[in-house]
Structures are given as structure tokens and as C-alpha cells.
Amino acid sequence: MAAEIVNPRNDSGTEGAPEEPFDPVFALHRGGKMAVQATVPVRNKDDLSLAYTPGVAKVCTAIAEQPELVNDYTWKSNVVAVVTDGTAVLGLGDIGPEASLPVMEGKAILFKNFGGVDAVPIALATTDTDEIVETVVRLAPSFGGVNLEDISAPRCFEIERKLQERLDIPVFHDDQHGTAIVTLAALRNAAKLTGRTLGDLRGVISGAGAAGVAIAKFLLEAGLGDVAVADRKGIVSRDREDLTDVKREIAELTNKAGLSGSLESALAGADVFIGVSGGTVPEAAVASMAPNAFVFAMANPNPEVHPDVAHKYAAVVATGRSDYPNQINNVLAFPGIFAGALQVRASRITEGMKIAAANAIADVVGDQLAADCVIPSPFDERVAPAVAAAVAATARAEGVARR
């Protein structure tokens, strides 16, 4: 059934037309959520001759002779392309490029508000992997970084990989890595709170899409003891014959315990549940987890395990929702990551830079660490500067910084 469209106000101009109900969401979005704003004045002919012709020709000529000057004399070094094809938008799925624009605008204003980074939404009218790659490569001279957003798996993995190979600017698929970074930050603090290390923990991830795959790889890279990943057919294991290339790789990297069968069976004795798939996990399966377990049920709007149920059995509970404590929110990561990478003009975002970002987010919690505070609020003004500083320092240490 088609969604009911409600105008925020009756502006048809028809005399006597009935007033339609006011909807604050539509009211906020009317005309879009962002605009381009000049940073220099154009008040008179002198200003015009400096900002545009003839003065601008001097800058163009200098950049033509020394291309790296584009970072000093244009906005390139502080602007990110937010690129999507509209195939995996939030919880809405494949809704197309036009319908994705409100989300991409939202992403852009989060970059600006939380990280001081300018961002431009780019919704592409193609779902072909090579066409997306070629389009972004051709647009790249205008941008200092590329944030891939809401592109469905498994294409998102190939698109990111190909762009990273062809471009010398950071390319970052936030649905993968942003989620993984914030999850690691929360998990580090949860382990600290209960007197354990990552190496002591066995996890189970519900969801083998972009986020689930990235989280599994990243947590293992950070030192998690073991993790199993489940899709709709159960645990992704080597004995399954229906796996995609991406899932075969995950089967090789994960599940040291050799588990097979259902998600519910894998949760028996597990220390960590991470949900990035939707669906519902039975209470009995949550009850079978190890003492002092962690439940990170991040599906929106309905977590895989309701917090009221999770709190019966888990020492730490996190969700993707803003109305519960411990929100796993990507806005804790991507603004600071790009701010730090752009600050040093990094050629890419390394695994080390991602781990540094996770550690910085975790460290912000500090003495406030508690069961209902293993991750800072998205509105904690300390987060983005701390992440940016950690990312920039790591980029320099790893040799990917160019200033």
C-alpha cells in the first residue's frame, strides 16, 4: 500500500479548501535541509574581480602549474561526496536515487554540524557497479573524500574496493566501517566494565550484509576472541554450499569454534550478540548466553532483542535507537574520521586509522563508564575533535598523510 503523503500546510491557494494536518517532518524538509553559502563577500566590482574574472585566472593558472595547490585555493580539501544509488536506504531498502536524497542531505548536514566538513549529496541513476565506479572517479577532482552510503551488498564491497584502488583520496563506506568502529568502541568499554578483554569474548552477529561483514572483520582485527556470523539460513560456515564469495571469505575468517546451524544455537554460551539484520531473537536464546553477556541489538526501529528483555540477562545493552542508553550511532565516527583524514590530506583511511577512531570514541567516556554509558552521546562535543586528532596522528604515523 502506498504511503500517505500529508502536506505540512495547506498552501494550494484554493479558497475554502480544508486545512490539512500539520506534519513537522514535512515542514522541516520543505525546500531541502541544506544550501550552498559563500565564504567571501561579493559587494562591489572589486570583490567581483577578485572572486571571479579576471582575478580567478591567476589561481587557475597556478593550479594548472602545480595541481596540489587545488587543496589550498579551493574547497576541495574540506569537502566530501556523499554517494548513493538508493538501493539500501536506512530501513527502507531499494527506494531509488530521488527518494534517497532526504537521507543524503541529512548525512551532509551531520558532516557539517558534527565535524565541520562540507558534504555534497550525489544520488546516481544507476545500480551498475562499474558505472558507479566510473562516475565517482570522474567526479573525484572536485572532492577531498568519498563517503559511500546506502548501497546494497554485495555490490558495495566491490564498489568501495575498486574506488580505493583508483583514487588517492579517502573512500569510506559508512554502512560498513562507521558501524564497525562505533561497535568496537562500545564493546571495548563493555569489556573493560566487566573486567575482561576483547580476546576473552565470543560473539555472534545477526546479519551478513555490509554492516555484519565489516563488523566481523574489524572486531577480529582488533583482537576479539571469536565471532560467528549468521544470515537468514543460519551460521555462515565452511560446510555450506550456498555462500557468495563475500560469505565464503567470512566463513574462512570467522567461527573458530566450528559452529553450524541456527543463530539461536550459536548464542548458547556466547558473550556478545550484535544485531544488524532486523528480525527477532527469541528470549530463550538470549537467556542461554554466558553470564555478564552484552546485547547490542541495533536494528531500527525494532531491535532484534527488546531492551526490556535484554536487560533480564545482559550486563550491557545497546541499541541503534536514540531513546535508549548506549546508542550505537555512526555519527560518532564518520564526521571526525573525515575531518582528521582531510586535515592531513590522507590518501586513504587505513585499518589503523579506524581502530584509532574507535579507541578515541571509547576513551571519551572516561570516568563516566557504566552499564548505561559504554558509548558517548552523539551530542558530546568532545567526540569529533578526539576522533579527528587520533585519525590524523595515525595517518601520519602510517605514512598516508601528505601534510
Side-chain angles (χ1 to χ4, degrees):
M1 184 176 69
E4 180 185 2
I5 303 300
V6 180
N7 273 329
R9 64 176 184 265
N10 177 29
D11 55 4
S12 64
T14 303
E15 186 175 353
E19 285 290 328
E20 295 180 356
F22 178 85
D23 188 325
V25 172
F26 279 89
L28 182 142
H29 283 79
R30 182 174 290 277
K33 299 193 292 287
M34 58 185 295
V36 174
Q37 182 176 345
T39 60
V40 296
V42 184
R43 299 162 300 193
N44 52 49
K45 66 178 183 178
D46 292 333
D47 290 344
L48 183 61
S49 68
L50 289 171
Y52 201 52
T53 186
V56 74
K58 289 185 179 181
V59 178
C60 294
T61 302
I63 294 171
E65 293 173 354
Q66 299 182 60
E68 67 276 9
L69 292 179
V70 69
N71 292 296
D72 295 312
Y73 294 107
T74 72
W75 77 336
K76 176 182 171 76
S77 63
N78 195 54
V79 66
V80 171
V82 180
V83 179
T84 190
D85 63 358
T87 55
V89 180
L90 293 176
L92 303 174
D94 185 353
I95 60 174
E98 290 86 358
S100 76
L101 270 176
V103 177
M104 300 310 115
E105 287 183 3
K107 192 81 172 190
I109 65 175
L110 295 180
F111 266 110
K112 187 66 173 180
N113 288 352
F114 289 95
V117 173
D118 290 304
V120 177
I122 299 176
L124 301 179
T126 178
T127 60
D128 181 86
T129 294
D130 289 333
E131 288 184 357
I132 292 172
V133 171
E134 291 299 328
T135 301
V136 175
V137 167
R138 283 162 173 73
L139 290 170
S142 296
F143 298 98
V146 175
N147 182 99
L148 299 174
E149 191 76 19
D150 293 350
I151 299 173
S152 63
R155 294 175 310 116
C156 60
F157 304 112
E158 184 178 2
I159 290 168
E160 183 185 49
R161 176 180 58 79
K162 287 184 174 180
L163 286 173
Q164 287 172 338
E165 290 171 354
R166 294 184 60 179
L167 298 178
D168 65 347
I169 58 176
V171 178
F172 184 86
H173 184 207
D174 187 49
D175 302 316
Q176 293 183 61
H177 310 299
T179 308
I181 288 164
V182 182
T183 300
L184 174 59
L187 191 57
R188 278 197 185 283
N189 275 341
K192 180 180 179 181
L193 181 68
T194 56
R196 289 175 286 178
T197 67
L198 292 178
D200 297 326
L201 305 176
R202 175 173 75 83
V204 178
I205 297 174
S206 175
V213 167
I215 290 169
K217 290 181 177 180
F218 193 56
L219 293 183
L220 289 174
E221 178 79 16
L224 188 70
D226 191 16
V227 64
V229 180
D231 61 11
R232 291 183 180 88
K233 297 181 179 179
I235 298 300
V236 176
S237 57
R238 296 179 184 180
D239 59 355
R240 281 180 47 179
E241 298 179 357
D242 61 340
L243 300 180
T244 63
D245 291 343
V246 171
K247 290 181 182 179
R248 274 194 291 272
E249 180 189 7
I250 281 296
E252 293 295 325
L253 293 173
T254 63
N255 195 16
K256 296 176 187 175
L259 303 174
S260 60
S262 67
L263 166 73
E264 290 81 3
S265 65
L267 281 175
D271 302 291
V272 185
F273 168 76
I274 296 171
V276 284
S277 66
T280 302
V281 177
E283 181 172 345
V286 181
S288 74
M289 294 178 70
N292 289 319
F294 312 140
V295 172
F296 293 1
M298 296 185 281
N300 264 317
N302 300 312
E304 295 87 349
V305 182
H306 192 280
D308 292 344
V309 173
H311 278 296
K312 293 181 183 179
Y313 310 102
V316 176
V317 176
T319 72
R321 292 176 49 148
S322 60
D323 54 346
Y324 288 100
N326 294 328
Q327 184 190 17
I328 308 294
N329 192 323
N330 289 21
V331 78
L332 290 164
F334 68 82
I337 288 170
F338 271 97
L342 294 174
Q343 176 187 328
V344 298
R345 295 179 190 166
S347 58
R348 58 194 176 96
I349 295 173
T350 66
E351 290 302 301
M353 291 160 73
K354 296 173 196 174
I355 289 175
N359 290 341
I361 295 168
D363 288 345
V364 167
V365 172
D367 295 339
Q368 296 173 295
L369 181 62
D372 62 353
C373 185
V374 297
I375 199 77
S377 163
F379 296 98
D380 190 321
E381 296 180 354
R382 299 171 296 171
V383 174
V387 172
V391 166
T394 306
R396 290 191 178 103
E398 294 188 347
V400 298
R402 288 175 286 198
R403 74 168 182 180

